[in-house]
Amino acid sequence: MADKPDKTPEPKPIAEIACTHQVSMARWSPDGRHIVAACYDGVVRRWDVSGEQPAELSTLTGHHGWVTVVAFASAERLISGDSWGRLTCWDYTKDEPTVVWSHEQAHNGWLRDVAVTSDGGRVATCGMDRAVGVHAVADGGLVKRIAGHDVLYAVAFTLDGAGVLAACMLGVIRHSTIDDRKHVRALA
């Protein structure tokens, strides 16, 4: 009889966090001490997971629609976006988090994805309005808006942070530079 292949062990749950509302996205903080969740009730929930059991902290409120995206820009800054196009940067480390900056209409409608450069200096967003927005994390200033896409679902920075990839629902990925807004190539 042939040797049986090693059986892959079943994953074992470490902890479970029960959230009272639907979650569209969850992220670990860079220091591994917090988990945040974008929730469909318009709130960003956060937990301190540095102890034995996760401890729920105060929520981040102020969005008008479903919170659809969250991303960490640094150990202190959290970016969130919603279904009405609002983009907000938070200092999430305080007991009562504060808004660093916010754009009521960063997009005309639903924010679908958010990405941050590896140095934490810029944030890119994409949405139903067929555009990519690139903002400075420090003050929220608009660096570039790149239009001309179909409805976008995903955005990512190039490794050097000088370009963005934007993926649409038609299966096209566009690579564009940020500083001169040149369309480099389309990948289909």
Side-chain angles (χ1 to χ4, degrees):
M1 180 187 283
D3 290 335
K4 291 183 182 179
D6 290 339
K7 184 177 177 182
T8 303
E10 291 294 319
K12 294 179 184 174
I14 297 171
E16 183 174 301
I17 296 173
C19 191
T20 57
H21 291 82
Q22 289 177 315
V23 174
S24 62
M25 184 179 283
R27 298 281 184 250
W28 286 99
S29 63
D31 64 6
R33 296 189 50 179
H34 299 94
I35 293 175
V36 297
C39 297
Y40 279 168
D41 63 344
V43 172
V44 177
R45 287 184 166 68
R46 60 194 186 117
W47 293 267
D48 182 334
V49 292
S50 63
E52 282 289 316
Q53 293 295 319
E56 189 164 5
L57 304 171
S58 61
T59 59
L60 286 66
T61 60
H63 283 283
H64 303 301
W66 298 340
V67 179
T68 54
V69 296
V70 288
F72 286 95
S74 70
E76 296 84 30
R77 299 286 186 259
L78 174 71
I79 307 295
S80 62
D82 68 30
S83 60
W84 285 24
R86 183 179 187 143
L87 180 66
T88 303
C89 179
W90 306 87
D91 181 342
Y92 77 94
T93 59
K94 299 178 179 179
D95 289 339
E96 293 301 321
T98 56
V99 172
V100 177
W101 53 262
S102 187
H103 293 294
E104 195 69 29
Q105 286 249 262
H107 286 272
N108 184 14
W110 197 298
L111 264 86
R112 290 286 188 183
D113 198 12
V114 62
V116 178
T117 54
S118 60
D119 66 0
R122 290 179 174 176
V123 58
T125 57
C126 69
M128 295 292 289
D129 61 357
R130 303 172 181 222
V132 172
V134 179
H135 296 267
V137 170
D139 61 7
L142 182 64
V143 176
K144 291 291 178 200
R145 182 169 172 81
I146 306 167
H149 299 273
D150 204 300
V151 176
L152 295 171
Y153 280 84
V155 66
F157 279 102
T158 55
L159 292 177
D160 63 3
V164 290
L165 297 176
C168 79
M169 62 186 290
L170 297 178
V172 176
I173 302 168
R174 286 194 179 162
H175 175 198
S176 301
T177 60
I178 295 170
D179 294 330
D180 58 11
R181 287 198 260 191
K182 286 171 99 175
H183 171 72
V184 178
R185 58 187 162 174
L187 311 166

